[in-house]
Amino acid sequence: MSANFVALAYLIAAVLFILALKGLSSPISARRGNMFGMIGMTIAVLTTLTITQNLIYIAFAILVGGAIGAVVARRIQMTAMPELVAAMHSLVGLAAVLVAMSAFYNPVAYGISPLHASNLIELFIGTFVGAITFTGSIIAFGKLSGKLGSKPLHFAGQHWFNLFLGVVMIAFGIMFIFTQSWTPFLIMIALALLLGVLLIMPIGGADMPVVVSMLNSYSGWAAAGIGFTLNNNMLIIAGSLVGSSGAILSYIMCKAMNRSFFNVILGGFGGGEGAIGAGEVEQRPVRSGSADDAAFLMGNADSVIIVPGYGLAVARAQHAINEMADHLIKNGVKVRYAIHPVAGRMPGHMNVLLAEAEVPYDQVFEMDEINNEFADTDVVLVIGANDVVNPAAKTDPNCPIYGMPIIDAHKARTIMVVKRSMAVGYAGLDNDLFYLDKTMMVFGDAKKVVEDIIKALQH
């Protein structure tokens, strides 16, 4: 295949990637966006295969990796999607490190011999970003899956130690550029791997949506850095798209939490002094009710807003909640969903769950679009959400999440909260919303409670 044809094919694939991102900006066009992305990736992979000399090995690797990916995709539950995304990010980082090591070991095979200073700088940047992404994503996977716990892990002087490691890592990277030796290169990789662990371990579970989008950005920049080394325009463009979109998403997530990016990296919710530990709550009286009570209140309301959270995903109650909403709508009740930008364990988690249950897009609203409607709403149903509806974020300057924009569920005329228990949320904080006079707690598994509400509405 001629060089011009390869360049044209890569350009077409790049345009399709851009169209994919544009399509994913709206639930209505998301399916089309995914299709553009898949077609673009198919073109890019097939084009690469036509110019490789190791077709058999690569084809075998694709078959093995594709088979594993297909099995995982079919078996994975929606509740495990955040940790799956983190795991995928780790593989991108690892791939960047391995490609960089391979290119340094045999630059002739990659067409970059002799290695110039610019090539070495690109290798250095792509490698350390990829290494940090690899181990950082593994830690994020562990936190999201519960294997490592969601609490931040702090130790004295950790920020200074991380800074020291970063400086030493850069020093060995500079040494590698000047000496072109394996020893500083491998030491730099080892330090970057350690730094990835130490950067993510102190971050609490409540900050995981930001961490996921941040690692997504890192993986993109790692791929782009290696693309420069290999003179692969497709890798540069695709990596830059992923890196920039992940960075923008991280900014949006931080803005939604009223925190700076560095504040997220240097600290975590739920681990500071004064935070109530997981499972511990202040002993205050609450008003509780049954599913029948909830059905009566919603069935006689003019308007209902549903606020979903991670508990909805854990209980797999998205289909039941859609069925309940259909019953209410048939009875003349206006039903809408309010989505906080950081609800769940990754950006867009709740939107994906509701889309899977075929909830109509015109019923789903972002926080900023619907917050001014709560004061005129008869009933708000908070199901599995905690920190994103905590009014202490607006009223208590001593609260760790003070200043964070929240969904104004506390302004509704009647509030119903579905939870298994009075345990705190991912930020490790008690929720003042539960103790308001107009709040009714409905304890139990979210799916079972919603199914009982449906039965009551049918009678």
Side-chain angles (χ1 to χ4, degrees):
M1 183 179 289
S2 68
N4 289 337
F5 191 86
V6 170
L8 177 61
Y10 279 158
L11 178 61
I12 293 172
V15 171
L16 287 170
F17 288 154
I18 294 172
L19 292 175
L21 280 179
K22 181 174 177 56
L24 292 173
S25 63
S26 168
I28 298 174
S29 59
R31 188 183 297 271
R32 183 173 68 248
N34 271 320
M35 185 60 64
F36 282 141
M38 289 187 288
I39 295 173
M41 184 56 68
T42 301
I43 293 173
V45 170
L46 292 177
T47 303
T48 302
L49 289 177
T50 61
I51 59 177
T52 183
Q53 298 178 352
N54 300 303
L55 183 59
I56 295 178
Y57 296 116
I58 295 177
F60 177 74
I62 290 176
L63 287 175
V64 173
I68 295 173
V71 172
V72 172
R74 291 184 67 86
R75 292 183 177 180
I76 198 72
Q77 299 293 331
M78 287 302 298
T79 51
M81 195 58 65
E83 53 257 42
L84 176 64
V85 172
M88 295 299 103
H89 290 162
S90 73
L91 295 179
V92 176
L94 179 61
V97 173
L98 294 177
V99 169
M101 294 177 69
S102 177
F104 182 56
Y105 175 76
N106 189 6
V108 176
Y110 290 87
I112 54 174
S113 181
L115 286 170
H116 299 290
S118 59
N119 299 127
L120 296 169
I121 293 173
E122 292 158 3
L123 280 175
F124 161 57
I125 295 175
T127 303
F128 87 73
V129 174
I132 291 174
T133 303
F134 173 55
T135 51
S137 297
I138 290 176
I139 298 303
F141 168 82
K143 283 179 170 286
L144 289 166
S145 62
K147 294 177 174 60
L148 296 178
S150 63
K151 287 186 177 182
L153 178 62
H154 297 285
F155 60 89
Q158 66 181 38
H159 299 317
W160 287 107
F161 184 66
N162 289 345
L163 178 62
F164 171 75
L165 282 182
V167 171
V168 174
M169 180 193 70
I170 294 173
F172 275 103
I174 295 173
M175 188 184 303
F176 158 70
I177 294 170
F178 281 102
T179 64
Q180 297 189 30
S181 171
W182 272 103
T183 300
F185 187 50
L186 293 176
I187 293 176
M188 181 267 293
I189 293 175
L191 291 173
L193 292 172
L194 177 59
L195 196 57
V197 174
L198 296 178
L199 282 175
I200 306 302
M201 284 300 291
I203 300 177
D207 290 319
M208 276 300 118
V210 179
V211 172
V212 170
S213 57
M214 176 193 72
L215 291 171
N216 178 47
S217 179
Y218 285 1
S219 67
W221 296 126
I226 299 303
F228 278 106
T229 301
L230 304 181
N231 290 319
N232 188 312
N233 292 330
M234 183 70 265
L235 204 53
I236 295 172
I237 294 172
S240 298
L241 288 173
V242 173
S244 57
S245 60
I248 293 171
L249 191 56
S250 296
Y251 169 76
I252 293 173
M253 294 295 103
C254 288
K255 184 178 180 181
M257 300 167 72
N258 193 37
R259 306 181 71 197
S260 69
F261 176 77
F262 290 105
N263 183 254
V264 172
I265 297 301
L266 297 178
F269 284 163
E273 295 180 5
I276 300 176
E280 300 176 13
V281 294
E282 184 179 346
Q283 297 299 316
R284 295 155 66 183
V286 296
R287 183 167 65 98
S288 62
S290 65
D292 289 340
D293 298 327
F296 176 80
L297 290 170
M298 288 191 291
N300 289 279
D302 291 326
S303 59
V304 172
I305 295 179
I306 302 170
V307 182
Y310 186 64
L312 176 76
V314 172
R316 303 175 191 173
Q318 60 268 31
H319 295 281
I321 203 74
N322 186 33
E323 183 181 351
M324 183 198 75
D326 286 341
H327 281 289
L328 292 172
I329 292 171
K330 289 177 183 178
N331 292 335
V333 181
K334 183 179 181 180
V335 178
R336 290 163 294 173
Y337 298 81
I339 309 295
H340 193 282
V342 294
R345 295 296 180 266
M346 71 176 185
H349 196 182
M350 294 300 104
N351 302 76
V352 172
L353 282 176
L354 296 180
E356 184 198 21
E358 298 184 353
V359 172
Y361 300 135
D362 58 0
Q363 294 179 13
V364 182
F365 295 86
E366 298 298 324
M367 175 182 67
D368 293 337
E369 298 175 319
I370 200 171
N371 249 358
N372 60 352
E373 302 288 332
F374 281 95
D376 298 321
T377 298
D378 293 323
V379 177
V380 58
L381 176 65
V382 180
I383 180 164
N386 194 82
D387 306 311
V388 298
V389 292
N390 192 341
K394 289 190 172 184
T395 60
D396 184 3
N398 296 318
C399 179
I401 62 172
Y402 180 71
M404 168 181 163
I406 61 166
I407 290 179
D408 291 336
H410 60 284
K411 293 183 178 179
R413 297 185 182 97
T414 300
I415 304 161
M416 294 187 299
V417 181
V418 178
K419 278 177 65 72
R420 286 180 177 273
S421 67
M422 289 297 292
V424 296
Y426 227 44
L429 305 171
D430 201 7
N431 193 338
D432 291 346
L433 182 74
F434 303 159
Y435 308 103
L436 298 179
D437 292 337
K438 58 182 178 180
T439 298
M440 181 180 75
M441 305 295 297
V442 183
F443 295 109
D445 175 78
K447 185 177 181 180
K448 179 66 167 58
V449 169
V450 174
E451 289 174 344
D452 289 342
I453 291 174
I454 294 172
K455 291 177 184 178
L457 289 172
Q458 290 173 336
H459 292 142

